[in-house]
Amino acid sequence: MQQVQLSEVEQRVYQAVTALEARGQVPYPDVIAEESGLTEEQMDAPLHLLTEKGLLHREDSPMAGLDFGPRFCARQMA
């Protein structure tokens, strides 16, 4: 399997998402920002790149009328 190279910021964001999921928290962008120590603006690019690399996937709110924004869920690295 091909090794995916991540920048330091991408690693921080990915680790924040996996830590949140491990604790049973929903990985919304504002919570990921707090967990990773970044601002939401600083996370736009890493979230996009991690999604492109297949390490995260975006899920929109599943409940009509209760849109808390997108959440980003980790795909397990093999």
Side-chain angles (χ1 to χ4, degrees), residues 1 9 13 15-16 20 44 46-47 52 65 67-68 75-76:
M1 181 171 174
V9 173
V13 171
Q15 289 170 349
L20 290 165
D44 287 344
L47 285 174
E52 279 186 349
D67 186 9
F68 296 110
R75 296 187 190 277
Q76 296 304 313

Side-chain angles (χ1 to χ4, degrees), residues 19-49:
L20 290 165
E21 290 180 331
R23 293 195 305 260
Q25 294 179 269
V26 180
Y28 291 117
D30 59 335
V31 183
I32 300 169
E34 184 177 323
E35 181 75 18
S36 64
L38 301 170
T39 66
E40 286 189 61
E41 293 78 25
Q42 291 173 307
M43 286 195 345
D44 287 344
L47 285 174
H48 180 74
L49 290 170

